[in-house]
Amino acid sequence: MAAVNLQKPVESSGRKLSIHVVTWNVASAAPPPDLNDLLQLNNQNLNLDIYIIGLQEMNCGIMSLLSDTAFEDPWSSFFMDVLSPLSFIKGNKGGVNTCLKLYGYHVSIINCHLPPHLANNDQRLEHFDRILEMQNFEGQDIPNILDHDLIFWFGDMNFRIEDFGLHFVRESIKSRCFSDLWEKDQLSITKRHDLLLREFQEGPLLFPPTYKFDRNTNNYDTSEKKRKPAWTDRILWRLKRQPQAGPDISKLPDPHFCLTLRSYVSHMMYSISDHKPVTGTFDLELKPLMSAPLVILIPEGLWTMEDDMLISYSLTADFVSSPWDWIGLYKVGLRHINDYVSYVWVRDNQVSFSDGPNQVYINTRDIPETEDQFLLCYYSNSLHSVVGISKSFQIRPHSFFGEDSLGESQPWF
């Protein structure tokens, strides 16, 4: 899942976004009571814009499947219980591969779970290539994953540590001598000769291997199998290269689109699974390719719950609306795009066809009386995404009259 902070301002001259990526094989366990450390909510130095959360081995029993279909899976629900009060909203796309358009740049998010066991490294690489070859997106502008400006690729990749025996690996971990283990890490070895995988970057493995632990402990596997520890849980990224200008000129990332790793750590405090979660925090500096959102929404005036709200909105020249586009009215702190309190189909309810802004009315009379702040979102059916968000505003429960300094009645809203 991807969660985006709706309350951050847009700057057309330049922008720095902070992105927090989480990968965790939860081994069918239920969410723990506290995720503050995992989400870095106690870190006052972070001002995060986007959470990208990928889980593996979520409970897929029949009751879970029924719950997911009718409502929402418990992990997504739990994460949004924590993040929605902080103005984050979950992206509406599902599956292991999500494509986002961020200020005109294309970002691909891939959450994977590759084949296990030490001897299956070739099979893991085969799956890696197959994901790249088979995952295509609708639309002609981005036909393949590798055409995206940024790729985050993370998950339980199941790469293991070769050659060294169990005793040597455990002693190296105990003494925090990780450098010897890096040399035999299958992912590190593969990147040396696989040209495509070499394009993916990773931070230094300065934390202990994240697999395999006895559940509810920080002890590595003490079962009869005594599996050798390994860095199975990884976060990689790849920036799109510019076209090569000549045979002797190296391909470089776009200078207006730069990603910097701020931290790459595991979280040992969580013990519900035989894996430890891993997070990567990034700063993405970019020069926006779009100076304005595709749709600009403006609620007309101050409104009470006694009247319908008139909404004006304008579209950019390159945005094509659909008969199934709609505008939703939301309370600030919404968890999901379906959490609207009222909505209107833009084509069926359009009240202005002049050269000025488009206008529609939205019903606010059935909204319960509340002091909450509201905002408007324009949903594009063809893009399957929110393409315009208004500033927050308040809808007064009712109108009433007071007296000004001259004793005359004046309406207050």
Side-chain angles (χ1 to χ4, degrees):
M1 59 172 281
V4 182
N5 195 328
L6 296 178
Q7 300 299 308
K8 288 298 183 72
V10 176
E11 302 171 17
S12 59
S13 58
R15 187 73 203 266
K16 177 185 284 189
L17 297 172
S18 293
I19 303 173
H20 191 64
V21 181
V22 177
T23 180
W24 193 3
N25 183 324
V26 297
S28 300
D34 186 349
L35 290 172
N36 286 347
D37 184 71
L38 185 70
L39 300 177
Q40 293 291 284
L41 298 180
N42 296 328
N43 190 337
Q44 301 299 318
N45 296 322
L46 286 181
N47 189 16
L48 295 170
D49 298 280
I50 298 174
Y51 282 95
I52 299 173
I53 301 170
L55 306 179
Q56 304 86 43
E57 292 192 18
M58 294 170 59
N59 187 1
C60 292
I62 184 64
M63 292 305 296
S64 177
L65 289 174
L66 291 173
S67 174
D68 294 356
T69 302
F71 306 101
E72 187 177 37
D73 69 87
W75 277 94
S76 293
S77 179
F78 191 85
F79 276 118
M80 291 315 301
D81 283 342
V82 177
L83 295 178
S84 59
L86 304 177
S87 299
F88 287 89
I89 178 175
K90 187 178 74 169
N92 66 315
K93 299 176 177 65
V96 295
N97 195 349
T98 299
C99 177
L100 304 177
K101 198 167 185 180
L102 196 63
Y103 296 105
Y105 296 92
H106 289 88
V107 178
S108 183
I109 300 168
I110 304 170
N111 171 24
C112 73
H113 191 179
L114 301 181
H117 307 308
L118 179 66
N120 289 333
N121 196 45
D122 289 342
Q123 191 176 353
R124 282 188 281 275
L125 298 178
E126 179 184 339
H127 282 218
F128 185 90
D129 291 337
R130 189 183 304 171
I131 292 172
L132 288 175
E133 293 170 0
M134 297 183 64
Q135 292 290 336
N136 295 314
F137 296 93
E138 296 180 5
Q140 300 301 316
D141 54 341
I142 295 295
N144 188 272
I145 291 176
L146 294 177
D147 293 314
H148 287 70
D149 298 288
L150 171 63
I151 302 171
F152 284 112
W153 194 318
F154 53 89
D156 180 0
M157 297 188 178
N158 261 318
F159 289 105
R160 305 305 172 99
I161 296 174
E162 295 183 346
D163 297 341
F164 295 136
L166 175 64
H167 179 75
F168 179 83
V169 171
R170 288 192 173 185
E171 287 300 313
S172 297
I173 294 171
K174 184 183 297 185
S175 60
R176 299 192 67 84
C177 295
F178 299 142
S179 56
D180 289 335
L181 305 182
W182 296 338
E183 295 298 317
K184 298 299 181 179
D185 170 66
Q186 287 181 330
L187 178 56
S188 301
I189 294 171
T190 304
K191 288 184 66 174
R192 295 171 199 156
H193 59 80
D194 189 295
L195 295 178
L196 180 56
L197 193 56
R198 194 184 302 168
E199 293 185 10
F200 286 84
Q201 302 179 62
E202 184 183 17
L205 297 171
L206 301 179
F207 50 88
T210 55
Y211 174 84
K212 173 180 172 62
F213 289 86
D214 294 334
R215 289 193 188 220
N216 302 313
T217 75
N218 285 330
N219 302 321
Y220 286 104
D221 186 16
T222 59
S223 70
E224 292 182 1
K225 294 183 178 179
K226 288 187 170 57
R227 293 179 181 87
K228 188 165 56 174
W231 285 288
T232 57
D233 309 280
R234 314 289 277 268
I235 298 174
L236 311 178
W237 73 94
R238 175 188 180 270
L239 288 169
K240 184 180 179 181
R241 305 293 174 170
Q242 293 178 310
Q244 197 165 358
D248 299 323
I249 298 179
S250 301
K251 296 179 181 179
L252 298 173
D254 188 332
H256 302 300
F257 192 79
C258 177
L259 189 75
T260 304
L261 178 65
R262 186 188 298 189
S263 71
Y264 188 38
V265 297
S266 64
H267 297 260
M268 295 291 291
M269 65 179 292
Y270 297 103
S271 57
I272 60 171
S273 167
D274 53 356
H275 291 251
K276 300 297 183 181
V278 173
T279 62
T281 306
F282 300 84
D283 286 331
L284 176 62
E285 297 184 60
L286 56 87
K287 182 177 182 180
L289 301 178
M290 302 169 58
S291 58
L294 296 176
V295 177
I296 297 176
L297 293 160
I298 303 173
E300 294 289 335
L302 297 174
W303 295 95
T304 71
M305 295 176 183
E306 300 169 353
D307 303 292
D308 287 343
M309 175 186 291
L310 179 64
I311 302 168
S312 295
Y313 65 96
S314 59
L315 314 176
T316 59
D318 57 346
F319 175 69
V320 179
S321 62
S322 159
W324 301 106
D325 289 359
W326 49 275
I327 295 173
L329 175 67
Y330 299 85
K331 291 182 181 180
V332 171
L334 68 152
R335 295 161 51 94
H336 192 274
I337 191 62
N338 292 333
D339 291 343
Y340 52 79
V341 295
S342 185
Y343 73 94
V344 60
W345 299 101
V346 295
R347 289 280 185 92
D348 292 345
N349 297 278
Q350 190 167 339
V351 298
S352 174
F353 294 90
S354 64
D355 294 334
N358 302 287
Q359 292 182 317
V360 294
Y361 281 102
I362 190 168
N363 185 355
T364 61
R365 286 170 289 181
D366 296 329
I367 300 174
E369 291 195 4
T370 177
E371 294 296 326
D372 291 327
Q373 293 286 315
F374 292 83
L375 52 81
L376 298 165
C377 294
Y378 185 107
Y379 183 84
S380 167
N381 184 68
S382 57
L383 296 177
H384 307 291
S385 179
V386 172
V387 293
I389 302 173
S390 75
K391 294 182 179 179
S392 60
F393 56 90
Q394 190 170 15
I395 301 176
R396 303 292 184 182
H398 56 79
S399 61
F400 57 93
F401 286 84
E403 292 186 351
D404 65 10
S405 59
L406 297 179
E408 299 178 352
S409 292
Q410 297 290 336
W412 290 0
F413 297 96

